[in-house]
Amino acid sequence: MSEVIARELASHIVDAKLPAGSVLPTEKEMIESFDVGRSTIREALRLLETRNVITLRPGPGGGPVVRRPRPEDLSEALSLILQFEDASLDDVMQARRALEPTIARLAATRITEADLDLMERTVRVVLESPDPEVFQEQNRIFHSTLSRAACSVVLQVFVESLGSVADGIAGGVTYSPRRYVAAAHAHTRIIEALRANDADCAEQLMRNHLDEADGYWHKKHRDLVSRPVLWRR
Amino acid sequence: MSEVIARELASHIVDAKLPAGSVLPTEKEMIESFDVGRSTIREALRLLETRNVITLRPGPGGGPVVRRPRPEDLSEALSLILQFEDASLDDVMQARRALEPTIARLAATRITEADLDLMERTVRVVLESPDPEVFQEQNRIFHSTLSRAACSVVLQVFVESLGSVADGIAGGVTYSPRRYVAAAHAHTRIIEALRANDADCAEQLMRNHLDEADGYWHKKHRDLVSRPVLWRR
C-alpha cells in the first residue's frame, strides 16, 4: 500500500510539474486525503526520500518537499551494481567508447548553433590555460553539451552517469599541458564535423579521440584502469 | 557515519564474495564491532536495504541477510529518472537501437560456441511455435545471451535495464505469427554473422533488425511508442 501511495505521489509531482522546493501536503493532510494510517504514509514518504523524489525537512513546520530525482542520481545505482559486479574503470571507459561515438552521430544532425558555440568556447578556454582544473571543467562541459545535443534523454543519462563514475575513480589524475592541448584539438575536429552535420565523420572522430585516450591510459596508467568501481553516493 | 558503515559493509560483502542468503552479524554484534550507537547501525542497515544490498529478516532470530544488488535493479532507478524526464517508450527504443548494434559488434569477436548454440536454440523454439508467450521468452534469452557475450558488464547492465523498462510498457502487446517468424529469421542472420566473427556485419544486421521493428511500431502502434515511462519497482 505504501508503494502504491509513493507511486501516486511521484506521478502527481511529474503531472503537476511541481518544481524542486515545492512544499507538499503534511503527513497529517496525506493521512486524511489517502485515508490510510500514519505508518503507511511514513513508509511511502521514506521510500520517496531514499529515491531522491522528496526531502523530508525535520522539525516543526517541516515535512515533505519536492526534490525530483536527477539524471546524475543514476550514477549511485550504477556504481553500486558495478561494485558488486567487480567492474573496473576499464569497463566504464569501454562503455563510454561504445556510447559516445553514437551520441556524436546523433548530435551531428540535431545540434544547435548555440551548443556548437558553447563547445567551441570550452576549446578556447583550455587552449588559453591548459592546466588540470581548467581542462577537467571544460571537458565536462564539452561532453555534457554534446550528450544533451543528441536529444536522447536515455543515452544522456547513461553517458553522464558513466562520466561521473569515471570522475569518481580518476578525477584527481593529471596530465601534461601537451595532452590537454592535444585533446582540445581533437575536440575542435569533432566540432567541425558536427557543424558540417557530418554524422559519419563526427562518430569516427569521437571514436578516434576515445581510442587514443584509452591507449594512453593503458600505457601510462595501468594501475588506474584496473581500479575497481566503488559505490558512490 | 551511517553512510561510512554502509559502504564498509557493502565492500565487505563484495571482498569476501558473500553470496546472497549469507547471514550477517546481528545489529548487536555490529554495534560492538563498529563501536557506534544502535541508531547509526540501524540507519546503515536501512540504507543497505533500500539499495537491495541486504534484506532485513523481521522477528526474533531475524537480522541482516545478504541479497546483493543485481543488474536488473538499475531499471528501477532508470525508470524513476525517465518518468521525471518525461521520457516515452520511443526514447527507450531509440537508446536500444544505439546500444544493441554496438553490443553485437563487440560480441562478434568474443562470443563462445555455447552462447551461439543457446541463441540458435531460441530461433528453433520460436519457429516451432511462433506465438506471443514463446517469442517473448525466447527473444529475451536471445538478447540477454548476446549482451552477456559482449563481455561489457556496463553495456549489459544498460541494455538489460532498457529491455526491462520496455517490457514494462509494451510487454503485453502481441503480433501476428508472421512477425515472430520474420524476427526469428533476422536473428538467424545475426547469429551467422557472429559465428563468422564478422563484427561489421553483425552490427549492421542488428541495426537493420531494430530499425525494422521501430518502423513497424511507429506505423502500427503509434499510441504505444508515445506511452510514458513510469517508475517500476
Side-chain angles (χ1 to χ4, degrees):
Chain A
M1 191 59 197
S2 60
E3 279 204 30
V4 173
I5 290 175
R7 240 192 298 270
E8 270 188 43
L9 283 168
S11 289
H12 170 67
I13 294 168
V14 173
D15 297 343
K17 299 184 198 300
L18 300 182
S22 306
V23 175
L24 291 171
T26 62
E27 199 179 283
K28 207 173 145 189
E29 289 165 331
M30 286 191 192
I31 291 168
E32 276 178 34
S33 62
F34 285 106
D35 197 20
V36 293
R38 173 178 303 271
S39 66
T40 306
I41 291 293
R42 285 230 167 128
E43 223 175 289
L45 293 177
R46 198 184 274 275
L47 174 61
L48 290 172
E49 191 187 29
T50 65
R51 297 309 191 255
N52 293 324
V53 176
I54 62 169
T55 49
L56 290 170
R57 282 186 315 193
V65 175
V66 174
R67 177 191 176 279
R68 300 183 76 98
R70 302 176 193 130
E72 309 90 90
D73 292 341
L74 193 73
S75 60
E76 189 204 327
L78 180 65
S79 64
L80 179 66
I81 288 167
L82 293 182
Q83 175 171 4
F84 276 83
E85 296 287 321
D86 280 320
S88 65
L89 178 60
D90 197 26
D91 294 307
V92 174
M93 298 306 296
Q94 205 188 103
R96 272 191 73 179
R97 281 163 65 209
L99 283 182
E100 291 225 316
T102 302
I103 283 174
R105 155 172 291 281
L106 293 174
T109 52
R110 300 172 176 182
I111 198 163
T112 63
E113 284 296 315
D115 281 340
L116 286 166
D117 293 346
L118 193 59
M119 289 170 78
E120 259 169 10
R121 216 190 91 83
T122 68
V123 170
R124 279 202 307 278
V125 173
V126 169
L127 290 176
E128 272 161 28
S129 34
D131 69 64
E133 265 172 57
V134 170
F135 180 78
Q136 197 151 329
E137 170 69 1
Q138 299 303 319
N139 187 49
R140 202 190 51 70
I141 299 172
F142 176 90
H143 287 280
S144 73
T145 305
L146 182 68
S147 75
R148 190 160 33 78
C151 301
S152 162
V153 60
V154 184
L155 293 179
Q156 184 186 352
V157 167
F158 281 168
V159 83
E160 293 202 347
S161 44
L162 289 178
S164 122
V165 171
D167 284 350
I169 305 175
V173 179
T174 62
Y175 309 99
S176 70
R178 230 164 53 101
R179 279 204 65 76
Y180 297 130
V181 170
H185 288 315
H187 285 185
T188 299
R189 288 189 291 276
I190 291 167
I191 294 167
E192 280 165 8
L194 295 169
R195 215 180 258 293
N197 301 130
D198 189 336
D200 285 339
C201 184
E203 180 180 5
Q204 192 55 52
L205 288 170
M206 179 59 88
R207 183 164 290 138
N208 296 349
H209 175 43
L210 297 176
D211 284 353
E212 198 278 329
D214 189 67
Y216 176 83
W217 281 33
H218 272 87
K219 215 171 94 187
K220 301 275 185 180
H221 295 276
R222 279 217 150 280
D223 57 313
L224 194 66
V225 291
S226 61
R227 271 192 212 167
V229 177
L230 297 177
W231 178 27
R232 298 175 59 80
R233 300 199 67 219
Chain B
M1 190 57 195
S2 60
E3 279 204 28
V4 173
I5 291 175
R7 241 192 297 270
E8 271 187 42
L9 282 168
S11 289
H12 169 67
I13 293 167
V14 173
D15 298 343
K17 300 186 197 300
L18 299 184
S22 306
V23 175
L24 291 171
T26 63
E27 200 178 282
K28 208 172 145 190
E29 290 165 332
M30 287 192 191
I31 291 168
E32 276 176 34
S33 61
F34 285 107
D35 196 21
V36 293
R38 175 179 301 270
S39 67
T40 306
I41 291 292
R42 286 230 168 130
E43 223 175 290
L45 293 177
R46 199 184 274 275
L47 175 60
L48 290 172
E49 191 186 28
T50 66
R51 297 309 190 257
N52 293 325
V53 175
I54 62 169
T55 49
L56 291 169
R57 283 187 312 192
V65 174
V66 174
R67 178 191 174 277
R68 301 183 77 98
R70 303 176 193 130
E72 309 88 270
D73 292 342
L74 193 73
S75 60
E76 189 204 329
L78 179 65
S79 64
L80 179 66
I81 289 168
L82 293 183
Q83 175 172 4
F84 277 82
E85 297 287 321
D86 280 321
S88 64
L89 178 59
D90 197 26
D91 293 307
V92 175
M93 297 308 295
Q94 207 187 102
R96 272 191 73 179
R97 281 164 63 208
L99 284 182
E100 291 227 319
T102 302
I103 284 174
R105 155 173 290 283
L106 294 173
T109 53
R110 300 171 176 184
I111 198 163
T112 63
E113 284 296 315
D115 280 339
L116 285 166
D117 293 347
L118 193 57
M119 289 169 78
E120 259 169 10
R121 216 190 90 83
T122 68
V123 171
R124 278 201 308 278
V125 173
V126 169
L127 290 177
E128 273 161 29
S129 35
D131 68 65
E133 265 172 57
V134 170
F135 180 77
Q136 198 152 328
E137 170 68 2
Q138 300 302 320
N139 187 50
R140 202 191 51 69
I141 298 172
F142 176 91
H143 287 281
S144 73
T145 305
L146 182 67
S147 75
R148 189 160 34 77
C151 301
S152 162
V153 59
V154 184
L155 293 179
Q156 185 188 350
V157 168
F158 281 168
V159 82
E160 292 202 347
S161 45
L162 289 179
S164 120
V165 171
D167 283 350
I169 305 175
V173 179
T174 61
Y175 308 100
S176 70
R178 230 163 55 99
R179 280 205 66 77
Y180 298 129
V181 170
H185 287 315
H187 286 185
T188 297
R189 288 190 290 276
I190 292 167
I191 293 167
E192 280 165 6
L194 295 169
R195 215 179 257 292
N197 302 131
D198 189 336
D200 285 338
C201 184
E203 180 179 7
Q204 192 56 52
L205 287 171
M206 180 60 87
R207 183 164 289 137
N208 296 350
H209 175 44
L210 297 176
D211 284 354
E212 198 277 330
D214 189 68
Y216 177 82
W217 282 33
H218 272 88
K219 216 171 93 186
K220 300 276 186 180
H221 294 277
R222 279 217 151 280
D223 56 313
L224 193 67
V225 291
S226 61
R227 271 192 213 167
V229 177
L230 297 177
W231 178 28
R232 296 176 60 81
R233 300 198 67 220

